[in-house]
Amino acid sequence: MSDKASEKKPVRVYVDGCFDMMHFGHANALRQARELGDILVVGVHNDDEITRHKGPPVMNEQERYKAVRACKWADEVVEAAPYIADLKTLDEHNCDFCVHGEDISVGEDGRDVYEGVKNSGRFKIIKRTEGISTTELVGRMLLMTKEHLLSPTSRHNPTSKEPMARVDKEHLTKVSPYTSMSHFLPTTRKIAQFAEGRSPKEGDKIGYIDGGFDLFHVGHTEVLKQARANCDYLIVGVHDDLVVHEQRGGNFPIMNLHERVLGVLSCRHVDEVVIGAPFHVTAETLEALKLQVVFHGDDELVRGPDGEDPYELPKKKGLYMELKSTPNMSAHDIVSRIIENRLKYEQRNKKKEKKEATYISEAK
């Protein structure tokens, strides 16, 4: 038998989705799908397809394409993938089978979008990550704005002009098990599944960048990509909830420390994460992590309570390097998108829930 004949054909796995506000639940789905084969092909729907079948996405298609490409389990990305999965798409990309979570995905016609692929036998199910979804995150932002908490009387006043005054909290009490508010329970096993486990090699240039990384988004992945291009091993410090709250105020962070850590760990540009990193980069931090370069974006520097520069020491030592930040892309900006389009997203969630509930009812 020739070497060519004995070579095992790589198993190509296809998974698709909106990947709106790409979070660790999406990343965990890609991780599980990748474990079922050798190459993971990820189809990402465009804005028009999502709006037609589900309602308007929070992040635009270009932002979502970049976010998926930054995930370390995505080998190939198919842009503008069809919302209704079909065998033609699988064959075009030489995929052996399609993977999706346990939750139901229903198209505009009320039918399961994976029906055809399921009937062909080229479909596998992976476990859904409990406690996180784009719908759930939107709900957190709708219910956790500063205006809402500071004006409790306005929540019962339909004429109030405050953004949260007319938010219907009942939209989070769902009859579909797939569109609901829930709580993520962090475990060491989940962190281990996401962690790279690689140590720096001798001679590696070790870099460090820290921050809150709330609502881990494409602005974060782009700056991490730049940082990793300027070192051999990138360590990311993720601040704890109290530090982020002191920095950002309001009701930030939207995501807790463990959720933010998983988001960062899912990024292909990250080698290691410091959980609950100190706000100041101290001599102890530089020495313990053997840092040779400390990165920060060129956006406005957040100073300490007494106006101190948290990067004063690495700057004095000539270890500081500034990177280009993505304009108009921060957790604040994402929350603003949600609040400004509140009614659209409430209607989208209700539409999605109704279709799922109808499908479940008819399937009984």
Side-chain angles (χ1 to χ4, degrees):
M1 184 180 291
S2 68
D3 290 340
K4 184 172 288 187
S6 63
E7 285 179 3
K8 183 183 175 183
K9 177 182 176 291
V11 176
R12 292 174 62 86
V13 181
Y14 181 80
V15 63
D16 65 358
C18 304
F19 302 102
D20 196 14
M21 291 172 58
M22 179 86 176
H23 50 68
F24 68 88
H26 293 134
N28 193 41
L30 299 191
R31 179 190 66 81
Q32 293 180 77
R34 181 66 172 74
E35 288 181 345
L36 297 176
D38 303 301
I39 298 171
L40 181 62
V41 180
V42 185
V44 185
H45 312 314
N46 64 23
D47 295 344
D48 289 341
E49 280 278 270
I50 296 173
T51 300
R52 182 158 62 92
H53 289 276
K54 187 176 181 179
V58 178
M59 314 298 286
N60 67 49
E61 58 198 47
Q62 293 304 322
E63 292 167 340
R64 293 183 290 106
Y65 297 153
K66 286 183 179 179
V68 173
R69 284 195 172 92
C71 181
K72 63 186 177 184
W73 294 293
D75 296 303
E76 299 175 20
V77 173
V78 177
E79 297 183 0
Y83 198 88
I84 298 176
D86 54 30
L87 296 179
K88 178 184 175 184
T89 302
L90 295 186
D91 292 338
E92 279 182 359
H93 300 283
N94 301 312
C95 292
D96 297 275
F97 54 87
C98 175
V99 170
H100 187 65
E102 302 160 304
D103 52 314
I104 298 298
S105 186
V106 181
E108 65 174 342
D109 59 359
R111 299 179 65 177
D112 182 353
V113 298
Y114 296 100
E115 185 177 298
V117 178
K118 286 178 178 178
N119 292 338
S120 75
R122 294 168 65 181
F123 183 83
K124 294 188 179 183
I125 295 176
I126 54 175
K127 189 169 179 60
R128 182 175 183 266
T129 304
E130 295 296 333
I132 187 69
S133 70
T134 299
T135 302
E136 200 264 354
L137 286 178
V138 168
R140 290 190 202 184
M141 285 179 269
L142 285 175
L143 295 179
M144 293 180 67
T145 61
K146 183 178 179 182
E147 292 88 346
H148 176 52
L149 294 181
L150 291 183
S151 302
T153 56
S154 71
R155 70 188 71 171
H156 302 298
N157 178 9
T159 62
S160 172
K161 294 182 179 179
E162 292 193 32
M164 290 310 305
R166 296 178 300 280
V167 171
D168 179 11
K169 286 190 279 189
E170 294 302 315
H171 84 284
L172 296 175
T173 304
K174 301 297 182 181
V175 295
S176 166
Y178 308 122
T179 304
S180 61
M181 285 285 280
S182 54
H183 300 283
F184 170 66
L185 297 176
T187 64
T188 53
R189 183 166 64 91
K190 185 62 65 187
I191 291 177
Q193 288 173 336
F194 273 53
E196 193 67 28
R198 184 177 81 84
S199 299
K201 300 190 297 290
E202 187 176 351
D204 275 355
K205 181 180 180 181
I206 302 176
Y208 179 78
I209 185 169
D210 64 352
F213 299 99
D214 196 15
L215 297 175
F216 192 66
H217 52 71
V218 69
H220 295 137
T221 61
E222 288 296 294
V223 80
L224 292 175
K225 181 179 180 180
Q226 294 176 62
R228 188 60 175 80
N230 284 280
C231 66
D232 302 306
Y233 189 90
L234 182 62
I235 301 174
V236 180
V238 182
H239 298 153
D240 65 30
D241 296 345
L242 180 59
V243 168
V244 176
H245 180 71
E246 289 175 344
Q247 289 178 328
R248 303 298 178 186
N251 290 287
F252 290 95
I254 301 297
M255 304 182 82
N256 68 43
L257 175 62
H258 297 285
E259 293 172 321
R260 292 182 285 112
V261 164
L262 290 179
V264 174
L265 282 173
S266 71
C267 182
R268 66 173 66 251
H269 311 302
V270 175
D271 296 294
E272 182 61 284
V273 169
V274 176
I275 302 174
F279 180 65
H280 295 83
V281 180
T282 63
E284 290 78 8
T285 303
L286 294 175
E287 183 178 348
L289 300 178
K290 298 179 173 57
L291 303 181
Q292 293 156 280
V293 57
V294 174
F295 304 104
H296 190 268
D298 61 2
D299 49 346
E300 184 180 355
L301 180 67
V302 178
R303 295 181 175 272
D306 297 319
E308 69 275 16
D309 182 349
Y311 304 100
E312 182 180 357
L313 184 60
K315 284 179 178 178
K316 283 182 178 179
K317 290 180 171 289
L319 303 178
Y320 184 82
M321 181 176 179
E322 202 164 79
L323 304 172
K324 180 73 175 173
S325 297
T326 303
N328 304 316
M329 181 52 65
S330 68
H332 281 276
D333 293 317
I334 294 173
V335 170
S336 294
R337 291 188 192 187
I338 298 294
I339 299 302
E340 288 168 8
N341 296 280
R342 172 182 55 79
L343 291 178
K344 286 184 183 178
Y345 296 127
E346 282 187 0
Q347 290 166 1
R348 182 190 75 172
N349 291 353
K350 286 179 180 178
K351 176 183 175 183
K352 179 175 180 285
E353 177 218 356
K354 184 178 180 180
K355 286 193 298 183
E356 290 170 351
T358 300
Y359 180 87
I360 293 169
S361 176
E362 292 177 349
K364 290 181 179 178

